[in-house]
Amino acid sequence: MKNIHLTLVLASILFLSCKTNSEEGNSDKTSKIEQPTNFRIALGSCNRQDMPQDYWSVIQKDSADIFIWGGDNIYADTPDMNLMEAKYVSLKNNAYYRSFVNKLPYGPIGVWDDHDYGKNDAGAGWEYKDEAKSLFMDFMDIDSTHAMANRGGIYHAELINAGDKRIKFYMLDTRYFREDLLEAEASGKRYQPHTSQDSTLLGKAQWEWLEQEFKNSEADFNIIVSSIQFLSSEHGFETWGNFPHEVENMQTLLQKYSLDNILFLSGDRHISEFSQKKIKGLDYPLTDFTSSGLTHSYSSYDGEPNRYRVGEVVAETSYGIIDLDLETEKASLKIKSTRDGHVIQNLKLSF
């Protein structure tokens, strides 16, 4: 009887030992499978919540890891915060949008522009900006413990670990601190550049925050999200070019802190395009990927200057896809149709 008991005990030990070895092997295999080689970003801007939202099902087919809102996420344009809230709720509860965001591994993040800020082309003087900020945070599911809640504006950073690679998003606020724009003296343009070095787009507090974020960054990819275009500046509408000294300040910071693999994302214009500029100190051209708009576009577009444009302007509804190759640290940028998802234009980046 003792011999039978001993045999059963030894058999049990042997079985457990084999099971443990097998699980460790599966664990190693799983870790290799889960080590990603690509990270996919979808992006877009200029979304009228009162227009059809079925295009989200088109973007969903791309199986993006994250979606970046580039601003004008709704069209509110109102001092009535109850109305603005209702418009946000309408979008957030839309079945197509809800299905899309629920399948995103990292969810949506983003910035605002003027129409979801509350007033066309508005800046620091907008009297309902703090109320609008509260509604923006609710829409983005950002609670009161977030750093954004305790400072002016909606600027913040997001860091994502994709395997052993780090992707950092710098979400800029081009509204809350921005001084009034100068009306253009030349015909055919709405605004002209400031000449005063004291005029500001981002504001002192945001600039100080951004420099610290750049200084402390150890990210493999550094993606800067601005609702308005950074490089294109000749069209006479809203652009960083209306504050040329702020453009210089940004370029100085990029040179100073030698960030890896920098990319700008922008919206606002109701057109999509790629812009590139050679910056001293960078081994590759600085790229600004403008993706706009999701529900409506500048259909009457008949041309405008942009010395940094690469390729052609896309004046139809579109969204963007960015594939980051985590092994080679290269990127593939695509402008895609919201109608059927076909690629309209693409650009390859070698950082």
Side-chain angles (χ1 to χ4, degrees):
M1 195 69 179
K2 288 182 179 179
N3 289 338
I4 293 174
H5 178 71
L6 181 59
T7 300
L8 289 173
V9 170
L10 290 173
S12 299
I13 293 171
L14 181 60
F15 173 77
L16 290 172
S17 176
C18 291
K19 184 177 180 182
T20 301
N21 288 337
S22 175
E23 287 178 351
E24 287 176 353
N26 286 338
S27 177
D28 290 341
K29 189 181 294 184
T30 300
S31 66
K32 291 176 183 177
I33 292 172
E34 290 180 349
Q35 176 68 30
T37 59
N38 183 79
F39 188 88
R40 176 166 287 179
I41 302 165
L43 65 146
S45 65
C46 301
N47 177 67
R48 294 196 67 100
Q49 74 290 335
D50 55 352
M51 295 181 71
Q53 300 290 309
D54 53 340
Y55 70 84
W56 292 111
S57 62
V58 176
I59 304 178
Q60 187 171 321
K61 292 176 183 177
D62 280 294
S63 301
D65 293 295
I66 196 168
F67 179 77
I68 309 295
W69 277 111
D72 292 337
N73 312 322
I74 60 167
Y75 277 64
D77 297 287
T78 179
D80 184 343
M81 293 298 108
N82 289 326
L83 179 57
M84 182 181 284
E85 181 178 22
K87 292 183 176 185
Y88 269 128
V89 170
S90 172
L91 173 57
K92 199 168 187 177
N93 289 341
N94 180 273
Y96 290 108
Y97 180 69
R98 195 167 62 246
S99 174
F100 171 67
V101 298
N102 285 343
K103 289 181 171 60
L104 290 171
Y106 295 93
I109 61 174
V111 298
W112 61 14
D113 199 35
D114 52 346
H115 297 294
D116 42 352
Y117 187 54
K119 185 179 180 180
N120 186 49
D121 290 358
W126 177 232
E127 60 183 308
Y128 295 99
K129 61 185 182 181
D130 289 313
E131 291 85 349
K133 172 186 171 180
S134 179
L135 295 178
F136 172 88
M137 290 177 63
D138 288 344
F139 175 67
M140 293 291 182
D141 293 322
I142 299 171
D143 64 28
S144 60
T145 64
H146 194 283
M148 185 197 302
N150 298 311
R151 59 187 177 218
I154 56 132
Y155 64 90
H156 63 291
E158 302 278 354
L159 180 65
I160 290 176
N161 293 308
D164 59 1
K165 298 292 184 177
R166 291 159 293 187
I167 306 164
K168 189 168 183 178
F169 297 90
Y170 306 83
M171 318 302 288
L172 303 185
D173 188 331
T174 62
R175 294 290 159 192
Y176 194 93
F177 306 97
R178 197 215 69 207
E179 292 188 18
D180 290 342
L181 299 168
L182 296 180
E183 292 188 13
E185 296 174 358
S187 61
K189 294 188 176 183
R190 186 177 297 175
Y191 304 114
Q192 67 183 27
H194 278 270
T195 56
S196 170
Q197 296 291 313
D198 296 328
S199 58
T200 187
L201 173 63
L202 297 189
K204 185 175 184 291
Q206 186 172 188
W207 273 117
E208 291 175 350
W209 164 85
L210 186 61
E211 180 164 11
Q212 285 302 309
E213 291 293 336
F214 282 178
K215 181 179 180 180
N216 296 328
S217 178
E218 297 179 351
D220 300 283
F221 296 90
N222 290 274
I223 299 176
I224 303 167
V225 182
S226 164
S227 67
I228 60 174
Q229 291 182 304
F230 180 69
L231 290 181
S232 180
S233 60
E234 301 161 76
H235 45 68
F237 296 102
E238 289 199 273
T239 167
W240 275 71
N242 291 325
F243 298 85
H245 54 287
E246 298 275 82
V247 175
E248 290 297 323
N249 193 24
M250 176 67 78
Q251 292 177 175
T252 297
L253 290 185
L254 295 178
Q255 294 162 343
K256 181 178 180 179
Y257 293 108
S258 302
L259 300 177
D260 291 332
N261 305 332
I262 304 163
L263 174 62
F264 270 82
L265 306 180
S266 58
D268 176 56
R269 295 297 322 289
H270 303 172
I271 59 172
S272 293
E273 65 177 343
F274 303 123
S275 302
Q276 289 188 323
K277 179 183 179 182
K278 182 60 181 174
I279 304 293
K280 184 178 179 180
L282 292 185
D283 296 331
Y284 53 89
L286 184 65
T287 300
D288 183 358
F289 182 177
T290 302
S291 181
S292 174
L294 291 168
T295 56
H296 56 297
S297 62
Y298 187 5
S299 58
S300 61
Y301 173 85
D302 60 0
E304 66 181 33
N306 175 6
R307 74 186 74 177
Y308 303 119
R309 181 178 299 131
V310 177
E312 303 295 329
V313 166
V314 173
E316 61 182 270
T317 58
S318 64
Y319 65 99
I321 289 291
I322 300 167
D323 284 307
L324 300 178
D325 189 318
L326 302 178
E327 294 182 327
T328 65
E329 295 191 4
K330 295 182 179 182
S332 172
L333 282 54
K334 299 182 182 72
I335 300 172
K336 304 188 72 174
S337 169
T338 56
R339 289 182 287 107
D340 56 14
H342 77 271
V343 177
I344 304 172
Q345 196 168 164
N346 62 69
L347 181 68
K348 303 287 186 181
L349 299 184
S350 295
F351 294 108

